[in-house]
Amino acid sequence: LMDRPLHGTPIREGSLWLLSAEDMATAITLSLYVNGFAFSHDGQEHSISVSPFALVRNCRFQATTSAGVSLAEFKCFKVSLFTQGVCFYFGIWAPGGTAERDAEELRSRWVVDISRAIRLVTQSVFPHFRVTCQPLADVPWTRRRLMAGYVLHHNNSAACSLLYCELHPQYHGFARLLFYRSEACDVVVLDLRISEVTTCCEKIGISCSCFSVDGHLLSTRSLAERRLWLRAISNVKVKLQNQAPGPTGEELQVYRAAIEEHMMSESRGLLFRMQASPQALLERHPPLRCAPAQLSDAASAPAPVIDDGDEGGEGDAACAAEPPVQRTRGRTPSHDGGDTAVEGDGASLGGMSGDFSSTEPVGDPKVAASGMQHSTSHAGDSDIRVAHISEAL
C-alpha cells in the first residue's frame, strides 16, 4: 500500500467485491491505472501504486460471511504487495450456470490487466540491455561469467536497487552471484556465494518475475528472464551436488552456448532484449551509501591473471582476477524486513546503484492490517515455490 500518484486516467473500471479477513464482502468500484489501482471502502478513498515486488493470482475461499453469504460462490483473486505485508482480495459473484462462466472470464481479464500494470512498472525502471554470456575483454574478473544482466534488488519496504548481476560457475565448492553498480563491472556491491544447499525460490503469480536467492529478493524484466536465472543457478547447483570440478575455458564456452541457444529459442530472443519504457514509473534517487564508518577499505588490486593458454588444471577460468569489492560490516536487510547475516567472505552489501523508491505505507490501518492481510490458510494459496533442480537447463 503506497501513496505514489496514479498516472493518467483509469485503463479499466468495474464493480467487484472486496473480501476481508473478517469474512465480510463489500461491493466496490475498482479503478485500474497504469501503475496501480484505487477504490472506496468505509467512506475512504484508497489509492495503491504497485511496485516491481507485487503479484496477482487467482485464489478461493470456503468461508461464509456473517451475513450468510458463501464466499465459495465468488471467483476471487488477490493482489499481494508482499514486501509491505499487505494483500487485497477481490471477488466476482458467480452463483452458478452461465453467471459462473461469465465471472470466470471477467476475473481472468482483471488478473491479466493488473499483471500487465505490474510488469509495466517493473520494465519501466530497466535500461535498454541484453542478457549476455560473453565476458568483457578489458575486465579480467568477468572471464568466469556464465551470464549477466540487470536485476532489481529489494532493499527495504521503500526502495529497491538496479544492479548488474553476473553468475559464475562452481569452483572449490561454491559458485557466485556478483552484483555490480553497472554493466561496466568495475565494483562489486554484493558478492553472494551459492552452495549445494542455497535456497532459490520464486514468487507464484501471473507473469511474476520475482525470485529470491539465499534470502535476497530480486526481480527481472520478465518471467522468461526469471526462468533463465533460476535454471542457470539450478544447473550450477547440480554441478556442486555432484562435486564437479571447476569448468575449463572450453567447458565455459559450451555452457554459454547452451544459455544463448535457450534465449534465442524463447520468442527469438525478444524477451531478453526488450526496449526500456520511455518513463520510469517509480521515483529515482541517488544510490544508497553506507556511512564511512561501516565501510572497510576497498579490496586490494586484482591478482594476476593466469594465461589463457594454460590448460593444465581444474577450471582455467577460475584463475581470473578478483574484482574490487565495496564491503560493509554488520548485516544486510532481507526482503521480509528481517536481517540476513554477513558470514565471512559471503554476502556483502555496499553502495547500491540506481535506487528506486516509493514512500512508506499509508492509509487506513484497519484496511491495511485487518481486512486485507495476506493469508496462507487457504489451500493452494502459497506465494513461494522452491525452484527444483529438475528445472535446470
Side-chain angles (χ1 to χ4, degrees):
L1 183 62
M2 297 177 286
D3 68 347
R4 291 287 301 156
L6 299 181
H7 290 256
T9 58
I11 58 177
R12 184 180 184 84
E13 287 185 306
S15 298
L16 296 173
W17 291 84
L18 180 66
L19 311 177
S20 72
E22 289 87 2
D23 295 333
M24 296 179 60
T26 306
I28 63 166
T29 297
L30 184 66
S31 300
L32 177 63
Y33 292 77
V34 71
N35 66 322
F37 55 93
F39 62 90
S40 296
H41 181 263
D42 287 343
Q44 294 189 15
E45 294 288 334
H46 298 276
S47 176
I48 299 93
S49 60
V50 297
S51 79
F53 299 99
L55 62 85
V56 59
R57 57 175 293 190
N58 295 341
C59 61
R60 61 183 178 182
F61 291 88
Q62 298 297 332
T64 301
T65 70
S66 56
V69 178
S70 174
L71 297 182
E73 295 182 350
F74 288 79
K75 296 297 181 180
C76 306
F77 65 93
K78 68 177 183 179
V79 181
S80 176
L81 310 177
F82 49 88
T83 59
Q84 305 284 338
V86 177
C87 192
F88 296 90
Y89 293 90
F90 301 101
I92 298 143
W93 189 42
T98 304
E100 184 174 1
R101 292 192 296 271
D102 292 343
E104 184 70 56
E105 182 180 349
L106 182 58
R107 176 176 66 173
S108 297
R109 291 201 298 267
W110 272 109
V111 167
V112 168
D113 288 345
I114 294 173
S115 69
R116 286 173 178 168
I118 297 173
R119 297 275 57 76
L120 183 59
V121 170
T122 301
Q123 293 168 6
S124 74
V125 301
F126 281 89
H128 174 56
F129 78 98
R130 305 186 50 162
V131 174
T132 181
C133 298
Q134 299 305 314
L136 300 179
D138 56 346
V139 185
W141 49 83
T142 66
R143 289 188 182 181
R144 299 184 64 215
R145 171 184 294 178
L146 286 177
M147 60 176 288
Y150 280 102
V151 300
L152 285 171
H153 181 283
H154 176 259
N155 300 340
N156 52 52
S157 61
C160 59
S161 295
L162 182 66
L163 300 175
Y164 196 72
C165 182
E166 181 179 70
L167 175 63
H168 285 204
Q170 75 282 355
Y171 183 67
H172 284 181
F174 66 89
R176 297 168 77 180
L177 273 178
L178 298 178
F179 295 82
Y180 301 95
R181 293 184 300 187
S182 71
E183 57 193 297
C185 302
D186 51 356
V187 175
V188 173
V189 297
L190 177 63
D191 184 355
L192 184 59
R193 291 193 174 189
I194 299 173
S195 72
E196 61 183 67
V197 297
T198 296
T199 301
C200 299
C201 300
E202 58 184 353
K203 288 287 184 177
I204 305 303
I206 303 300
S207 299
C208 181
S209 63
C210 299
F211 67 102
S212 67
V213 179
D214 205 20
H216 291 266
L217 186 57
L218 308 170
S219 180
T220 59
R221 282 181 303 185
S222 66
L223 176 60
E225 283 188 13
R226 183 188 76 173
R227 288 172 176 165
L228 181 67
W229 280 105
L230 285 174
R231 288 183 176 184
I233 294 171
S234 294
N235 203 29
V236 170
K237 288 180 62 179
V238 170
K239 302 289 187 182
L240 290 169
Q241 289 174 343
N242 292 322
Q243 299 181 347
T248 64
E250 182 178 349
E251 288 171 334
L252 263 181
Q253 291 298 332
V254 174
Y255 297 162
R256 291 167 180 157
I259 294 173
E260 290 173 341
E261 181 180 357
H262 175 77
M263 287 192 293
M264 291 305 299
S265 68
E266 292 279 346
S267 300
R268 297 185 177 179
L270 294 178
L271 295 176
F272 302 96
R273 49 187 175 89
M274 296 179 296
Q275 294 287 342
S277 172
Q279 178 187 7
L281 298 176
L282 292 178
E283 184 178 357
R284 186 159 192 160
H285 293 278
L288 294 177
R289 297 293 181 186
C290 298
Q294 293 179 302
L295 287 176
S296 62
D297 294 335
S300 58
V305 180
I306 291 182
D307 182 49
D308 286 339
D310 181 5
E311 299 291 342
E314 175 187 356
D316 299 327
C319 300
E322 287 292 312
V325 178
Q326 203 168 47
R327 298 189 182 277
T328 61
R329 297 170 185 164
R331 302 167 72 84
T332 60
S334 66
H335 66 269
D336 59 0
D339 290 331
T340 300
V342 176
E343 300 179 358
D345 292 331
S348 59
L349 188 64
M352 303 291 274
S353 178
D355 298 309
F356 296 85
S357 73
S358 55
T359 55
E360 294 289 348
V362 296
D364 184 356
K366 180 180 179 181
V367 172
S370 176
M372 301 154 207
Q373 284 186 350
H374 173 69
S375 172
T376 57
S377 61
H378 307 293
D381 202 33
S382 174
D383 278 337
I384 298 178
R385 181 173 67 203
V386 174
H388 296 288
I389 293 174
S390 61
E391 296 178 348
L393 284 172

